[in-house]
Amino acid sequence: MTTTARKGTTAPRWAPETVTTEPYNAQTPAAALAEPLTPTRAFFVRDHFGAPHLRRAGWRLRVSGLVDTELDLGYEELLALPGRELEVVVECAGNGRSLMEPRPPGLPWAQRAVGCARFTGVPLRTVLASAGLRPETVELVFTGADEGELNGHRTAFARSLPAGLALHTDTLLATHMNGAPLTPGHGAPVRLLVPGHYGVADVKWLVGVEAVARPFTGPFQAEEYVYRRSRGVRDGTPEGPVREIRVKSLITGPAPGARLPLGLLCTVRGRAWSGGVPVRRVEVRVGSGGWRPAELAPAAGPYAWAEWAYRWTPRVPGPRLLLARATDAEGRTQPLRTPWNEQGYGCNPVAGVEVVVVGGPGRARERRGSGTGKAPEEGGPRTGRHRHEEAPA
């Protein structure tokens, strides 16, 4: 969607695409995923109980439990501490659930409950050092100001992290997103940020941190956001709470259904990421041909996504299926078929886009004679018949 600017130019008018209204959940529009950093106003929103309205002036963070000194921090006190900035992919654990068959219960996300933003915040370890974390601490429990009815009980949203992960220098108490203070939908005034992990770990509207000696068993830790009865998983992910983001890619161009001229060079583009592990390669397949390497640009940081591109000249008219798969530094590759589990988490099959190649042999000869750039077609059948045997599940 676009809007006319003052001088007659057009500028993007970003807005997430609504999935549910009560509570509000929305996915990133496809066009915004082509941006190196996803605009805040386009960034997907995941909400369980409705966004609480917290004012920065009145916000307090209580640090309690197994600490030498309990803390009660205000917003300005937090901002006065040394901070850091990271570009981070945030992905909902249920992203892609609608691809699973049979479809598990939960929000019917397509593949756009994801985005990459620049976050600024204070390392959690700085605050915990001031509190004096006791050695018997096993986990830190994080509680948000959002609460609602769950299984007949009034419940606040809460998740936990192992003490070691909570103390990692990149685990942040985030206050800013893309250079501006957090907006209410993204957890203002302060949210937890756990880079490399699914977004459920990034507790929004954070108001409490408690050090505990036993593993936390709250409903969003032990009942929801848990891998159960997994099938088709080859990356070694264990049953239990969802944690690190699985390796994944998406195709940002051409768009689904795009009509591509026969014989003209086009570039297939996209993004790739993994849970804090570098993406080592991206490969593209045209139709049922072989996998070919794409050009992979360096990511802006260990938790940001990387841009990739693949040059292709279509030689055969008709529908063609473009597939892309990423492999990370630990050798984990996106599966061809969609993995499945009872609650629909961690969906990371190969990315796929179907396009249509248009034009006939005569038109293709005219374009070649006019000096249009071209390159050999890499992969794909040499007949006009489209094959679906290995389309993503």
Side-chain angles (χ1 to χ4, degrees):
M1 181 183 298
T2 60
T3 183
T4 302
R6 290 183 179 179
K7 295 184 178 180
T9 59
T10 57
R13 184 181 175 185
W14 304 114
E17 297 174 1
T18 301
V19 177
T20 64
T21 56
E22 293 293 337
Y24 177 64
N25 290 280
Q27 61 187 1
T28 307
L33 295 174
E35 299 292 315
L37 290 178
T38 311
T40 301
R41 59 190 178 276
F43 212 97
F44 86 96
V45 175
R46 177 65 175 105
D47 193 352
H48 294 85
F49 297 127
H53 296 284
L54 304 177
R55 296 175 61 87
R56 291 196 290 268
W59 175 84
R60 310 296 296 182
L61 176 66
R62 177 177 171 79
V63 181
S64 62
L66 297 175
V67 294
D68 295 330
T69 305
E70 292 193 351
L71 301 179
D72 186 51
L73 287 176
Y75 186 76
E76 294 300 326
E77 293 174 282
L78 183 64
L79 288 184
L81 298 173
R84 57 182 321 200
E85 190 174 77
L86 294 169
E87 290 190 16
V88 178
V89 169
V90 179
E91 181 180 9
C92 180
N95 190 30
R97 179 182 286 120
S98 63
L99 300 180
M100 293 183 171
E101 295 182 2
R103 197 179 83 189
L107 287 176
W109 293 117
Q111 289 279 52
R112 290 185 275 121
V114 65
C116 184
R118 181 180 293 118
F119 290 93
T120 306
V122 175
L124 174 63
R125 64 186 299 173
T126 301
V127 173
L128 295 178
S130 297
L133 196 63
R134 295 181 185 173
E136 61 266 35
T137 299
V138 172
E139 289 187 348
L140 280 297
V141 180
F142 302 88
T143 303
D146 52 327
E147 60 179 31
E149 293 293 323
L150 184 68
N151 300 326
H153 301 282
R154 192 73 180 173
T155 304
F157 186 85
R159 286 275 298 188
S160 69
L161 293 178
L165 181 57
L167 290 168
H168 193 287
T169 188
D170 292 337
T171 300
L172 302 183
L173 299 174
T175 59
H176 289 66
M177 179 179 181
N178 290 334
L182 288 171
T183 59
H186 294 295
V190 178
R191 69 183 290 172
L192 186 66
L193 184 72
V194 189
H197 285 235
Y198 281 113
V200 65
D202 303 339
V203 177
K204 298 194 288 187
W205 311 293
L206 186 67
V207 293
V209 179
E210 182 183 8
V212 298
R214 295 180 180 179
F216 178 60
T217 58
F220 292 103
Q221 188 79 27
E223 299 171 20
E224 305 289 331
Y225 293 96
V226 175
Y227 290 121
R228 290 195 182 97
R229 298 177 57 202
S230 299
R231 299 199 301 263
V233 178
R234 299 180 181 178
D235 62 4
T237 301
E239 300 282 276
V242 299
R243 298 191 187 279
E244 293 87 356
I245 295 174
R246 286 173 169 167
V247 63
K248 199 165 186 176
S249 66
L250 58 82
I251 297 172
T252 58
R259 297 171 68 82
L260 306 180
L262 182 72
L264 288 187
L265 179 67
C266 72
T267 301
V268 184
R269 299 183 185 277
R271 308 283 176 192
W273 64 94
S274 192
V277 178
V279 172
R280 287 297 184 226
R281 68 177 181 272
V282 173
E283 299 163 292
V284 173
R285 192 173 82 180
V286 180
S288 57
W291 291 100
R292 305 290 184 176
E295 297 177 8
L296 182 63
Y303 310 108
W305 54 24
E307 184 177 15
W308 57 265
Y310 176 76
R311 291 157 59 86
W312 169 56
T313 299
R315 299 295 188 190
V316 180
R320 305 303 295 274
L321 183 66
L322 309 177
L323 300 178
R325 69 180 182 187
T327 299
D328 68 21
E330 296 184 358
R332 294 173 295 205
T333 301
Q334 289 178 264
L336 187 62
R337 300 191 179 279
T338 305
W340 188 92
N341 56 82
E342 192 174 70
Q343 294 184 351
Y345 298 127
C347 182
N348 71 329
V350 297
V353 168
E354 189 159 333
V355 298
V356 179
V357 179
V358 296
R363 292 178 62 188
R365 282 195 298 270
E366 290 174 10
R367 292 191 186 94
R368 286 196 294 271
S370 65
T372 302
K374 56 186 180 295
E377 178 176 359
E378 306 230 8
R382 292 292 179 180
T383 70
R385 188 176 181 181
H386 182 53
R387 302 179 65 187
H388 293 271
E389 294 94 323
E390 299 189 15

